[in-house]
Amino acid sequence: MSSLRPRQFDLIAFDWDGTLFDSTAIITRCIQRAVQDVGGAMPTREQASYVIGMALIPALAHAAPDVPREKHALLGERYRHHYFAHQHDISLFDGVLPMLAELKARHHWLTVATGKSRVGLDEALHAVELRQVFDGSRTADETAGKPSPLMLHELMREFGVEPERTLMIGDTTHDLQMAVNAGCASIGVSYGAHEPDAFHALKPLHIAHSVRELHDWLLVNA
């Protein structure tokens, strides 16, 4: 069995939105519409996409600094209203399923570390029939949101894996900063919410520009 162990990483943690799930554009528009619904100034595309990956209410508050705290709950409700209206319009990036299948066959533990809620992640996993693929997951409403390292610490503890044997993969600086804070290696993907120029300071092992490139890198290096 030892010959089947991964060469470098036992535990691979994936962000969800913008990394596996092609949802960045819709999330950005939903943030913009929610802010407008409660009377705030509509954030730019860049401002709205920057907060993707954070826990929902802190993300919305950051994107809408002119919206008072007493309206944050309503802001969250309006975001969920717009997102649920469009959640079936989005899907996995091409190439995600074969990548996960090959990693699974190589006996990596596959997990999700996401800013989504538990209900939101479970619905998404069910919609794309991936519940049985992932060995574990953490969401922002059941632990600390990114870039706190708590999600990764809990996953590492669950599977008995050390930081040096753990890899975080995500499309935002929040993901990569979480990996730094947890003492883990990371990979950034450039096809999601954040511009990859911002990744370099956080020293990811690699920046992948497509799922195919990510797949190829993992097969050789993970």
Side-chain angles (χ1 to χ4, degrees):
M1 182 69 179
S2 61
S3 64
L4 296 176
R5 298 307 305 155
R7 286 185 291 275
Q8 179 73 15
F9 300 108
D10 298 311
L11 176 64
I12 301 177
F14 289 93
D15 172 57
W16 185 258
D17 289 305
T19 300
L20 299 179
F21 210 52
D22 188 6
S23 50
T24 299
I26 286 178
I27 291 175
T28 298
R29 289 198 296 272
C30 291
I31 291 171
Q32 292 173 318
R33 291 169 183 168
V35 173
Q36 286 184 299
D37 286 352
V38 301
M42 188 179 77
T44 65
R45 183 183 63 80
E46 291 77 13
Q47 290 167 335
S49 64
Y50 174 77
V51 303
I52 294 175
M54 299 167 63
L56 180 60
I57 297 301
L60 293 171
H62 190 283
D66 60 327
V67 173
R69 183 181 296 272
E70 58 267 23
K71 286 190 173 182
H72 285 178
L74 177 60
L75 185 58
E77 289 175 13
R78 295 309 299 165
Y79 170 80
R80 285 187 284 268
H81 166 79
H82 291 297
Y83 182 81
F84 290 141
H86 292 282
Q87 63 179 330
H88 299 301
D89 300 341
I90 47 185
S91 61
L92 294 168
F93 286 108
D94 288 343
V96 163
L97 290 177
M99 175 181 70
L100 294 175
E102 192 151 3
L103 293 172
K104 191 83 170 172
R106 286 157 52 103
H107 302 280
H108 297 278
W109 281 303
L110 303 182
T111 64
V112 175
T114 177
K116 297 180 82 65
S117 68
R118 170 53 59 189
V119 169
L121 178 62
D122 285 349
E123 288 178 347
L125 290 172
H126 177 74
V128 294
E129 300 181 352
L130 279 182
R131 282 183 183 273
Q132 304 308 312
V133 171
F134 291 104
D135 302 292
S137 60
R138 288 296 185 280
T139 61
D141 62 338
E142 62 190 11
T143 183
K146 302 171 185 177
S148 167
L150 190 56
M151 284 189 200
L152 290 177
H153 284 165
E154 290 181 357
L155 288 167
M156 288 187 286
R157 196 157 53 239
E158 180 177 340
F159 293 96
V161 177
E162 296 300 315
E164 59 269 21
R165 302 287 295 178
T166 301
L167 178 66
M168 177 67 205
I169 301 173
D171 67 310
T172 71
T173 55
H174 314 307
D175 299 310
L176 305 192
Q177 185 64 60
M178 177 172 66
V180 170
N181 294 344
C184 302
S186 69
I187 295 177
V189 302
S190 69
Y191 50 80
H194 285 191
E195 292 297 324
D197 288 348
F199 296 165
H200 296 293
L202 298 169
K203 297 182 170 55
L205 297 180
H206 182 65
I207 298 175
H209 300 293
S210 67
V211 174
R212 179 72 254 176
E213 185 183 332
L214 175 62
H215 186 168
D216 291 344
W217 191 94
L218 290 171
L219 292 186
V220 173
N221 298 284

